[in-house]
Structure formats: structure tokens, C-alpha cells
Amino acid sequence: MVQTPKNIAIIGSGLVGSLLAIYLRKIGHKVTVFDRRPDIRTIKFSGRSINLAMSNRGWRSLNAVGIGEKIKDIAIPLDKRAMHVNDKPVYFQKYGKEGEAIWSISRGILNKRMIDLAEEAGTVFRFDEKVWDVNLPEAKIYTGETEKGKWTEYQFDIIFGCDGAFSRVRHKMQRRSRFDYSQDFIDVGYKELTIPANEDGTHKLDKNSFHIWPRGEFMLIAMPNIDGSFTCTLFLPFEGKVSFESLTTVDAAKAFFKEYFPNVRKEIENLTKDFFQNPTSAMVTMKCYPWTYWNKVALVGDSAHAIVPFYGQGMNAGFEDIFILNKLMKKYGDDWDAIFSEYQKERKPNADAIAELSYRNFVEMSRKTADPKFLLQKKIEKHFAALHPEKWIPVYSRVTFSDRPYAEALAIGDMQEAIMKQVMQIPNIEEKWDSKEVEEMILELL
Amino acid sequence: MVQTPKNIAIIGSGLVGSLLAIYLRKIGHKVTVFDRRPDIRTIKFSGRSINLAMSNRGWRSLNAVGIGEKIKDIAIPLDKRAMHVNDKPVYFQKYGKEGEAIWSISRGILNKRMIDLAEEAGTVFRFDEKVWDVNLPEAKIYTGETEKGKWTEYQFDIIFGCDGAFSRVRHKMQRRSRFDYSQDFIDVGYKELTIPANEDGTHKLDKNSFHIWPRGEFMLIAMPNIDGSFTCTLFLPFEGKVSFESLTTVDAAKAFFKEYFPNVRKEIENLTKDFFQNPTSAMVTMKCYPWTYWNKVALVGDSAHAIVPFYGQGMNAGFEDIFILNKLMKKYGDDWDAIFSEYQKERKPNADAIAELSYRNFVEMSRKTADPKFLLQKKIEKHFAALHPEKWIPVYSRVTFSDRPYAEALAIGDMQEAIMKQVMQIPNIEEKWDSKEVEEMILELL
């Protein structure tokens, strides 16, 4: 169905806000994007940056609006994990089947390009303009220099809150009765570090790998950038024996990198400098419901469902919100009540599912990677999946390389887990993990 | 240890705020209580009123500061439930042992008396003064007519947020990083109704009972007031077949009361009038952490842990917060860091436990009371408890008639539940529920 053009405000010029602008402009709506921060194209980027991993859902959403190819040239495909375990050579784990990969992109570079594309499509951006209040039933927004100063009122037909985990728009919805909301921080923080390029501009580590140094309670990861550098992220408990709290001196930090990451010892000066220069950030799971207010206001992306980054799906989930919204706009035309109502009903269980999967990955990475039982289970699953690739698609592949709902991936994952729980009960499973008996047991239980 | 007098602000003049003022004044602190609303002693009371049930924890907190006797004369002891099931005579269930009772008090009358007592103790009350902002590290508060207008700044040594479920003080803490927070509404609302006194001032129903009309998906309760009336609360789903949404006409409401509550049919005119006059309210569980900010700010009562009312423990839990705070003030003297740190560590698990127990009671009352298996289980528990009163103290008694931590009551309740789950597996349990075999099985499992 064709939609009557509306006057639409998007709060937030991040990845989700600018992609939504491109979609809405394509349909013919008038789109104004507000952002309290300056235009990131004009300043040194200093935003959040766990480097992003674009996977299937992200690409599908970009391709459906015709901009996939314009993003691909700033992305680097990663088809495997590179595991850095001390006293062992680096070993590689393929992510999926031949041709399957996740794509490393710098958040800053991607965001700039998305804003360019949205602007080319006719979006009006109002940077440096702070939204302080929203009148939900009347779709009005109020901006101004300061919260207590003079405000300007804008009237729109529809408002989209794409203003991230600490959304002002959601904040306004949250003070209403019967609005469910939660924010849960994990006790691990992160800090961004850099491994610069070689002098000739090449990468110092394998370029097409997602590099991981798993260390039980903490972890270092690295993803390549197109300029030859790697963006590393150190995940470390806030408090405890080895923690951000305990690493307060340059000597302590150097000793930490030397002891736990000996294969990047040449980078220690640089890592240590970054360690004390860059901020330590917290990670949060935010859930809420409802996501919409009548046919006037809707939350999209992190403002509706912020998740911890351990599945690399934050941006992908936000982009998928837009893909689904677009499907519903085609289906219901001018019936925005139906669009918003079905949008939140369809997306909420999937947002909850990817939040759960992301949190579980955090627990798994931080607590289970040292557990031999857990590693054996993973080995059995992999062995069985190799024998019966159609019968056992790992949850990771369902999330990363498929379009099927996250909630389905979670449910099937739980079912697989229940089967494996029984398999692990087999006496002497350590010895017969690759036996016909185990294979047949799994086949029977499936 | 003796404390150096401090200049303390309490935000909120509700039950918790005024009791805390009395405690702090007794130690010698300077206490100012701010409330955005007018002095309830000067206006017709229109606050929230699920009539309150004061139980052991509440009385202990009042007695420890010497005001228990001054409250007892506005309270009515209820030593039993009166169950109103259609086509059956009313039947009574004793709450506990001889002498154990909960006490029905009108929130409005209680609050007025508490403010009187706090004022007599030397507390300064600033009614009609709205707190809009709090500077947490500096213990400053900002008040004014409107959020955008001119504000007055006050400097204190310590601030207590006793401003309820929608606390402004917590709201300020909530925008900080690593602050966990959740609000979960249930899909049932409530409305207050009244059964007036007889013409001679006596009660129309048994005065010393907590009256319940359980109806599966919904429920009516009634608690006596000292003026001979009963305050009734109708708990009903917001949406659905029988719901607030579906009862929109006077005829529909009358038919509803007539069908489901025939033994109060004489009151229907009155109940229906109240039904359309009084607001429908929502119920929420709110959790957060931390509860304190350095040695400057602490949340007490509903602002830290709002719960659904189905265990009658909201006020009792808030009063117990103060009892524990007082214990820690005596222990640590001027070390407010230690007081606040230990306060939140000690209270948080107990607040979570009573939130869980209250929510479970809601589920139990709304879904399980019609389940014969559930009723049989309760019968077996009661039978066993009568035989071995020291070995099986019901969770209700642990919560209501004891001082032991809520978390302990929850844990023991879960243990009892696990035992009963096994007992209910016994073949033909329906026939031998009161047999020696069952008794011995429970004894063994304990």
C-alpha cells in the first residue's frame, strides 16, 4: 500500500536514525533528524566504538533500501575467529560455511557515510539541537540550549526515538503508568585500545579474522580497520583481583599486558598509553514495553532494546527493526496504529531473545571457556553438525547468517542444549564423544 | 555509638518519611521534611489506599522509637481471613497462633498521626514544596513552583529519599552509569470501594476479619475502619472478558457485583457509585541498586523497593528499613559510609525476597485458588503443621509474625515447596493425604 507523506521527526542521527531516514525518504515522507551532538562529519569522532560486526540481518536491511554496496567498501569480511591462547600457536575457527562472514566496520566511518546517504536522499539534519521534552499524544518536541532555558516547539505527525540506550523519548514514555522498563549493568567494563598498522599500511595480525584472547574472567578482542589498524577492546571486571580498579599504575598495566597477552608484547607501550587515555565504559541490557505510543511515537534500535555486545548483534537488531517496520508500512499503508502495534508485537520477543543470547554469550565467554566439560560439549556439537549439517545448525549461525527470528534461534538453541545435557550424562562420554552411539542418541533425541 | 548531629533532609512526608524523621530527631539530628503535596492534615485525604495491614515488622519499628501505643488505638486487629465463596457460608481461617493478628489501619489516618508525632518531635515540615533536582555528591536539593521556573537551593549533610515508587531522588540516581533498575507492572489494576457502617456505627461484616471474595481472575477484599465502614479493594484485570475495560456502563457494573458478590448485594448501589467515581490504579514492582550514594544520599521504603500489595508488607518492609538503619547508626556512629554501605547490602536481598513473595501471592491468588491440586497441597501442609508446629512454620507466618529476614522466609518456603512437590507425586495422594505415610515422608525430607 502507498503511504500519504507525513512530516516525521527522528531523534538521533546514529546508525539506526540515519538508516530509518533513508527508508522514510524513499517512501516520500518529509524527514527531520535531530541530534544533540554536533555533526560527526565535522569533528574528530569520539563516540562509542566496539568495532561493529555487520552480519546477515544488517546487510539485508541495507540492501532492501539499495545502499548495501555503498557500505561494503568500508567493511572487511571476517570468516573466522583467531584464538590466541598462551603457549599455543594461534588457531582459527571458521564462522560458518564457505562464503559466510561477518564484516568489520568502524562505527564512526559507517555513521558518517550513513548521514551522507540520508542527506543525499533529502533528509534535513538539525545537529547540535537538544530535545528536552516530547509531547507524546500530540507528537510535539521541544528543543533548546539548556533544559531550563527557552525551548522551541516543533509539531510533527510522527516521532521516532532512535536516540539510543539512554533515550529521552523512552524516558518520557517511562514516566507513564504501565510502562515496563529495566536496565541491568554487568560487572564487566570495556576500554578501547589500538594496534596501529605496519609502516607499509598492512595489518599486523591476520586481516580477515576476529581476534580473541580469552582469559576466563577477562578478554581482549581485535577487529581490523581499513587503514591497517586494529581496534581492540579489553573487557575486564570493574572490581576484583584483575580489574580496572586494580590496574592503576603504568607498571601494573604493562605487567598485565605482558603476562596475559605476550604475543602482542611489541604493542605494550601503545596499549598502555591507550589504557590510561581512553575512558572505561559500562555495558547494559535495557528492556522496555510498549515501544510505541498510539500512532504517534515509536522507539527503534537501542532506545527500545539495548543489549550487551557479546553477540555482535546490537546494530543488526536495530537495522532489522527498520526492515520489519518497512514491511509493515507496505502492508498497512496509512494505518499507523496497525503498523506500530504489529511492529512492537513482532519485534519485542525477538529483541528479548537477542538480549538473552547476548547475555549468555557474556557468561559463556567469561566463565565457561575454561571448563573442560563445556569444551567437550562444544566439540561433540561440532562433530555432529559436520556429520549432519542440515539437522544441527548452531545457534551462532542462526543468529548471524540467517533471517529467521531471533526468538526461534533461542528456542532451538535451548532444545539443542537440552539434548546435549542428556548426551553429557553418558558414562565415559570423554572417551566415546565421537562414537556412533553418541551420534545415534542425538539423532533419536532430535 | 553516639552520632554528631547532622542537618538532614527527608524527601517525602509519607509513612516512611515521617517515621524516619521521628527516629532521626530522637538521636538529635536536625530534620527537614519536604513534600510536593499539601499537608494532608489540612485537606480531604485522597492518597492511595489499599488499607494497610500492620504486622510484626511494622510494630517492632514503631515500638523501638516508642510510638507503638499511639498507633494501636487507630488500628483494628484481624486474627483471621473470612472467605466468601458463593453458595457456601462464610468460612474463617486463623492467621496464626493464638494472639497473632495483623492490624487494619487507614493509610490517611495513620499518616496524619505520624506527621503529628514527627512534628512534636521537632521535625520541620515544608509542604507544597516540590523538589525538582538533587545534587547527589554535594547533598543539595532544588525546589520551586515548576520544573522550568526559578529554583531555591538547599544545602544539607545527608538526604533521604522517602518519596515513594516514583521517587525523584532515585530518578536522579538512575541516570548514572551502573545503576540497575526495573519497573514491572502487572496486568491487574485495583479500585477502592466502600461499604459504609450500619446506622448505629457498627460494622456490617465481621470486624476482626480480613474479608476475601476470591474469584480466580479477580478478587474483592475488605478491611475494617474504626468508623464502622470497610474499605474494599477490587482487583481486576485491565483488559479481557471480565475487566475494567469491559465494565463501562452502570448496568454492566451492577450485573457484575450481583453475579459475583451476591452476599453484599445490599451494597450494590454504593459499590457501583464508587466504581465510577474512583480512579483505577496500576500496581508495579520496582527494584534498583545501589540504594545509596556515598555517605550523602539513601533511598528508604518504596523509593528503593516498591512491591505489589498482595502480601500486605509494603509499609512493613519500609518501616523495617528504618529499624535496620537505626541499628547501623548505633553500630557505626559517624561513619555514614559504613552505615549506608551495610544498609543496602543487608536490605537489598530482603527487599528482593518480599517483592518475589508478594508477586507469587498475586499469581497464587489469581490463578491457583481454583486448582484442586494446589488446594490439596495446602491442606496437607496445614495438617502437617498442626502435627509438628515447630517443624513446619508456614511462609506466611515467617513473613507476617516474625522478625527473621524476608530472604530466609523465601528460602525456607522454597525448600518446603520442593518437599511438597515430592509429596504430591505419591500415587493416590488424594486418598491418603492425612496418612502416617505422608507425615513420615515429610519428616524424612525435612
Side-chain angles (χ1 to χ4, degrees):
Chain A
M1 287 218 273
V2 178
Q3 289 191 311
T4 310
K6 297 280 185 186
N7 185 17
I8 296 179
I10 294 175
I11 318 301
S13 70
L15 301 172
V16 166
S18 38
L19 181 60
L20 180 58
I22 296 168
Y23 267 88
L24 293 172
R25 280 299 304 146
K26 200 173 180 187
I27 297 167
H29 296 295
K30 190 177 163 202
V31 181
T32 311
V33 177
F34 292 82
D35 203 302
R36 56 200 304 110
R37 286 165 306 186
D39 186 345
I40 55 163
R41 296 170 301 181
T42 65
I43 52 158
K44 192 177 173 308
F45 184 72
S46 63
R48 208 155 53 103
S49 175
I50 290 179
N51 252 33
L52 299 166
M54 183 90 71
S55 59
N56 190 75
R57 295 165 204 270
W59 289 119
R60 179 172 71 147
S61 308
L62 295 174
N63 290 332
V65 76
I67 62 169
E69 286 311 310
K70 288 173 183 162
I71 305 299
K72 220 149 209 172
D73 59 337
I74 52 170
I76 299 173
L78 315 179
D79 61 353
K80 57 193 175 303
R81 287 189 199 93
M83 304 297 286
H84 299 255
V85 178
N86 288 346
D87 307 321
K88 269 197 194 176
V90 177
Y91 67 97
F92 298 93
Q93 301 173 328
K94 287 284 274 184
Y95 270 126
K97 294 178 294 200
E98 198 52 42
E100 286 181 336
I102 60 173
W103 296 69
S104 172
I105 308 189
S106 145
R107 168 184 287 264
I109 293 171
L110 174 61
N111 205 157
K112 286 176 194 175
R113 179 148 308 177
M114 300 279 289
I115 291 172
D116 280 341
L117 291 168
E119 214 166 49
E120 281 166 26
T123 306
V124 174
F125 280 88
R126 300 188 68 94
F127 293 107
D128 268 322
E129 187 157 355
K130 300 180 180 67
V131 174
W132 294 109
D133 200 7
V134 180
N135 180 326
L136 302 170
E138 296 180 31
K140 287 177 182 167
I141 67 169
Y142 298 88
T143 69
E145 266 308 297
T146 63
E147 185 154 15
K148 289 206 71 187
K150 214 172 122 43
W151 287 352
T152 306
E153 179 187 292
Y154 292 87
Q155 173 75 64
F156 290 95
D157 299 319
I158 294 165
I159 298 169
F160 285 99
C162 304
D163 46 348
F166 296 92
S167 168
R168 272 266 157 182
V169 180
R170 185 195 64 228
H171 186 62
K172 184 74 185 182
M173 294 163 82
Q174 192 183 323
R175 299 290 285 187
R176 302 183 62 245
S177 191
R178 300 188 70 196
F179 185 81
D180 289 339
Y181 176 76
S182 70
Q183 58 185 49
D184 282 292
F185 286 84
I186 56 175
D187 49 12
V188 165
Y190 73 89
K191 201 185 268 282
E192 204 184 304
L193 313 168
T194 306
I195 294 180
N198 287 317
E199 289 201 358
D200 64 356
T202 56
H203 289 82
K204 285 192 177 151
L205 301 166
D206 181 76
K207 176 186 166 178
N208 294 112
S209 294
F210 183 100
H211 294 269
I212 310 183
W213 290 258
R215 297 293 181 267
E217 293 293 301
F218 54 96
M219 168 173 75
L220 182 70
I221 64 168
M223 293 176 78
N225 295 311
I226 46 176
D227 67 0
S229 67
F230 278 87
T231 299
C232 308
T233 311
L234 175 65
F235 295 96
L236 188 68
F238 282 108
E239 289 97 18
K241 198 164 157 257
V242 182
S243 69
F244 283 115
E245 195 188 53
S246 73
L247 292 176
T248 51
T249 65
V250 170
D251 284 350
K254 281 189 181 170
F256 166 74
F257 286 117
K258 200 172 156 189
E259 176 176 356
Y260 293 107
F261 311 105
N263 74 340
V264 286
R265 65 187 169 280
K266 286 180 195 157
E267 308 301 326
I268 284 180
E269 286 302 325
N270 208 48
L271 292 170
T272 304
K273 188 182 68 103
D274 285 351
F275 187 88
F276 288 102
Q277 208 162 58
N278 294 345
T280 305
S281 303
M283 286 169 284
V284 68
T285 302
M286 292 213 195
K287 296 180 180 177
C288 68
Y289 202 79
W291 291 3
T292 64
Y293 187 92
W294 299 351
N295 55 3
K296 295 294 186 187
V297 183
L299 304 174
V300 185
D302 279 6
S303 63
H305 50 76
I307 60 180
V308 294
F310 302 96
Y311 228 113
Q313 286 294 311
M315 170 188 59
N316 290 287
F319 282 8
E320 196 172 56
D321 287 348
I322 299 170
F323 184 88
I324 298 296
L325 259 176
N326 189 53
K327 181 189 84 179
L328 296 169
M329 288 191 281
K330 282 187 189 149
K331 182 171 175 191
Y332 292 112
D334 283 340
D335 187 352
W336 286 90
D337 278 306
I339 294 165
F340 281 2
S341 161
E342 200 162 317
Y343 161 65
Q344 65 181 4
K345 271 186 216 137
E346 178 166 347
R347 289 306 285 165
K348 172 66 174 166
N350 292 309
D352 285 349
I354 192 61
E356 175 66 19
L357 286 164
S358 302
Y359 181 76
R360 286 189 193 175
N361 247 21
F362 159 64
V363 175
E364 202 166 282
M365 288 198 288
S366 56
R367 278 167 233 171
K368 291 195 189 154
T369 44
D371 175 0
K373 266 257 167 185
F374 173 76
L375 295 173
L376 175 62
Q377 179 181 325
K378 290 290 142 193
K379 199 160 76 170
I380 298 171
E381 289 176 32
K382 207 170 168 182
H383 177 73
F384 183 83
L387 293 171
H388 304 280
E390 299 311 309
K391 295 204 165 153
W392 194 280
I393 301 169
V395 181
Y396 186 85
S397 294
R398 293 180 185 276
V399 167
T400 309
F401 303 121
S402 125
D403 295 339
R404 302 288 307 162
Y406 287 128
E408 181 185 286
L410 177 62
I412 293 174
D414 283 345
M415 187 264 286
Q416 290 175 342
E417 190 62 32
I419 290 172
M420 290 309 298
K421 212 175 165 180
Q422 292 192 52
V423 169
M424 296 303 287
Q425 304 289 329
I426 298 175
N428 297 321
I429 181 69
E430 295 80 3
E431 285 145 40
K432 46 184 166 184
W433 65 275
D434 56 352
S435 66
K436 200 77 193 160
E437 176 192 343
V438 170
E439 183 190 342
E440 270 162 15
M441 179 173 179
I442 299 176
L443 279 169
E444 198 163 301
L445 289 168
L446 268 168
Chain B
M1 287 218 276
V2 178
Q3 288 191 312
T4 311
K6 297 280 186 187
N7 185 17
I8 295 179
I10 294 175
I11 318 301
S13 71
L15 301 172
V16 166
S18 38
L19 180 59
L20 179 58
I22 296 168
Y23 267 88
L24 293 172
R25 280 298 304 147
K26 199 172 181 190
I27 298 167
H29 296 295
K30 190 177 163 202
V31 181
T32 311
V33 176
F34 291 83
D35 202 302
R36 57 198 305 110
R37 286 166 304 187
D39 186 344
I40 56 164
R41 294 170 302 181
T42 64
I43 53 159
K44 194 179 173 304
F45 184 72
S46 63
R48 208 155 53 102
S49 175
I50 292 178
N51 252 32
L52 299 166
M54 185 89 71
S55 59
N56 190 74
R57 294 165 207 270
W59 289 119
R60 180 174 67 147
S61 308
L62 295 174
N63 290 333
V65 75
I67 62 170
E69 285 311 310
K70 289 173 181 161
I71 305 299
K72 219 148 211 174
D73 60 333
I74 52 170
I76 299 173
L78 315 179
D79 61 353
K80 59 194 174 301
R81 288 189 198 92
M83 304 297 288
H84 299 255
V85 178
N86 287 346
D87 308 320
K88 269 196 193 176
V90 176
Y91 67 97
F92 297 92
Q93 302 172 327
K94 287 283 273 186
Y95 270 125
K97 294 178 293 203
E98 198 52 41
E100 287 181 335
I102 60 173
W103 296 68
S104 172
I105 308 190
S106 146
R107 169 185 288 265
I109 294 171
L110 175 61
N111 205 159
K112 286 176 195 175
R113 179 148 309 178
M114 300 279 289
I115 292 172
D116 280 342
L117 292 168
E119 214 165 49
E120 282 167 25
T123 305
V124 175
F125 280 87
R126 299 189 69 94
F127 293 107
D128 268 322
E129 187 158 355
K130 300 180 179 70
V131 173
W132 295 110
D133 199 7
V134 180
N135 180 326
L136 302 170
E138 296 179 31
K140 287 177 181 166
I141 67 169
Y142 299 87
T143 69
E145 266 308 299
T146 64
E147 184 154 16
K148 288 206 71 188
K150 213 172 124 42
W151 287 352
T152 307
E153 178 186 293
Y154 294 86
Q155 173 74 65
F156 289 96
D157 299 320
I158 294 166
I159 298 169
F160 286 99
C162 304
D163 46 347
F166 296 92
S167 168
R168 272 266 155 181
V169 181
R170 186 195 62 227
H171 186 63
K172 184 74 186 183
M173 293 164 82
Q174 192 183 322
R175 300 289 286 187
R176 302 184 62 245
S177 191
R178 302 189 67 196
F179 186 81
D180 290 339
Y181 176 77
S182 70
Q183 58 185 50
D184 283 291
F185 286 85
I186 56 175
D187 50 11
V188 165
Y190 73 88
K191 203 184 267 283
E192 203 184 306
L193 312 168
T194 306
I195 294 179
N198 286 316
E199 290 199 359
D200 64 357
T202 56
H203 290 82
K204 284 192 177 152
L205 303 166
D206 181 76
K207 176 187 166 178
N208 295 111
S209 294
F210 183 100
H211 295 268
I212 311 184
W213 291 256
R215 296 296 181 265
E217 294 294 300
F218 55 96
M219 168 174 75
L220 183 71
I221 64 169
M223 293 175 79
N225 294 311
I226 47 176
D227 67 359
S229 67
F230 278 87
T231 299
C232 309
T233 310
L234 175 66
F235 296 95
L236 189 67
F238 282 107
E239 289 97 19
K241 197 162 160 261
V242 182
S243 68
F244 283 114
E245 195 188 54
S246 73
L247 291 177
T248 52
T249 66
V250 170
D251 284 351
K254 280 188 182 170
F256 166 75
F257 286 117
K258 201 171 156 190
E259 177 175 356
Y260 293 106
F261 312 105
N263 74 340
V264 287
R265 64 187 168 281
K266 286 181 195 156
E267 308 302 325
I268 284 180
E269 286 302 325
N270 209 47
L271 292 170
T272 304
K273 186 183 69 109
D274 286 351
F275 186 88
F276 289 102
Q277 209 162 57
N278 294 345
T280 306
S281 303
M283 285 168 284
V284 68
T285 303
M286 293 211 194
K287 296 181 181 177
C288 68
Y289 203 79
W291 291 3
T292 64
Y293 187 92
W294 300 350
N295 54 3
K296 296 293 186 188
V297 183
L299 305 173
V300 185
D302 278 6
S303 62
H305 50 77
I307 60 180
V308 294
F310 302 95
Y311 227 113
Q313 285 293 312
M315 171 189 58
N316 290 287
F319 282 8
E320 196 172 57
D321 287 348
I322 298 170
F323 184 88
I324 299 296
L325 259 176
N326 190 54
K327 181 189 82 178
L328 296 169
M329 288 191 280
K330 280 188 192 152
K331 184 172 174 191
Y332 293 112
D334 284 339
D335 186 353
W336 286 90
D337 278 305
I339 293 165
F340 282 3
S341 160
E342 200 161 318
Y343 161 65
Q344 63 180 4
K345 271 185 214 138
E346 177 166 348
R347 289 305 286 165
K348 173 66 174 167
N350 292 309
D352 285 348
I354 191 61
E356 175 67 19
L357 286 164
S358 302
Y359 181 75
R360 286 189 193 175
N361 245 22
F362 159 64
V363 175
E364 201 166 282
M365 286 198 289
S366 57
R367 278 165 233 172
K368 292 194 189 156
T369 44
D371 175 2
K373 266 256 165 186
F374 173 77
L375 295 173
L376 174 61
Q377 179 181 326
K378 290 289 142 194
K379 200 160 75 171
I380 297 170
E381 289 176 32
K382 207 171 168 181
H383 178 74
F384 182 83
L387 293 172
H388 303 279
E390 299 311 311
K391 294 204 166 154
W392 193 281
I393 301 168
V395 182
Y396 186 87
S397 294
R398 293 181 186 275
V399 167
T400 309
F401 303 122
S402 125
D403 295 339
R404 303 287 308 160
Y406 288 128
E408 181 185 287
L410 176 62
I412 292 173
D414 283 345
M415 187 266 285
Q416 290 175 342
E417 190 62 31
I419 290 173
M420 290 309 298
K421 211 174 164 180
Q422 292 192 52
V423 169
M424 296 302 287
Q425 303 290 328
I426 297 174
N428 298 320
I429 182 68
E430 295 80 4
E431 285 145 40
K432 47 184 165 185
W433 64 275
D434 57 352
S435 66
K436 199 78 192 158
E437 175 191 344
V438 169
E439 182 190 344
E440 270 162 14
M441 178 173 179
I442 299 175
L443 279 170
E444 198 164 301
L445 288 169
L446 268 168

